[in-house]
Amino acid sequence: EFAALFLLRYLVEGEARFHIESCPGLLAHTLIYFFALASPLPYLRVPGFLGPSLYKAAVGYGLMVNPIVIRLSLIFGARSRLHTMIQVDEDRIWYGLLAATCLSVGGAVVMFASMNPSHRPSFYESLTLKAYLVELWNER
């Protein structure tokens, strides 16, 4: 995963240097990788690292895979000993997922609607963090 994401970042940005000139790219990549290991799919949780396109795909994937994971858990979990220890009505699980998904989508809509219109393109244009910082630097 470490090497694949380093290669992907190199292919997206066209160079191995990090965004800060005095910090070697491999060192920065190594530190970010080890600090982010605590979360699943760590780089996909940092929107600016690989650009908004991959981040949007990761968020969409997370929202779409939740019903599949819950369905499989309900099917295979019914055969386990855990099923007898935790008793939650299946409808409550689905309503909870629906509420969480609506909250996620609603939060994104509110965030996008209340955002400064000049900064909205940064959420759907394909700019990496490096390209975005260069653009901001040139505009000041």
Side-chain angles (χ1 to χ4, degrees):
E1 183 184 41
F2 175 81
L5 289 169
F6 184 77
L7 178 67
L8 182 61
R9 194 175 125 244
Y10 175 76
L11 293 174
V12 167
E13 294 184 1
E15 61 185 343
R17 263 189 346 189
F18 196 62
H19 312 298
I20 303 168
E21 301 243 352
S22 61
C23 183
L26 188 59
L27 174 66
H29 185 80
T30 304
L31 291 174
I32 290 172
Y33 179 78
F34 284 114
F35 289 140
L37 274 179
S39 64
L41 302 172
Y43 284 103
L44 301 180
R45 293 181 180 239
V46 182
F49 197 71
L50 295 174
S53 299
L54 288 174
Y55 186 68
K56 288 186 294 188
V59 170
Y61 169 78
L63 291 174
M64 289 186 304
V65 79
N66 280 338
I68 297 168
V69 169
I70 288 178
R71 184 66 188 142
L72 291 174
S73 298
L74 290 171
I75 291 171
F76 294 115
R79 298 183 208 149
S80 72
R81 185 173 161 244
L82 185 65
H83 181 70
T84 59
M85 292 189 286
I86 301 174
Q87 296 293 323
V88 178
D89 187 28
E90 188 174 332
D91 290 338
R92 284 187 184 212
I93 295 171
W94 289 113
Y95 288 136
L97 176 65
L98 179 65
T101 303
C102 289
L103 186 65
S104 297
V105 172
V109 168
V110 168
M111 176 204 63
F112 197 76
S114 62
M115 184 186 307
N116 187 345
S118 66
H119 290 77
R120 284 186 188 148
S122 67
F123 279 85
Y124 55 83
E125 286 182 356
S126 293
L127 288 177
T128 61
L129 179 60
K130 179 180 180 180
Y132 184 63
L133 291 176
V134 168
E135 180 182 308
L136 288 178
W137 183 265
N138 292 334
E139 287 179 358
R140 42 179 282 221

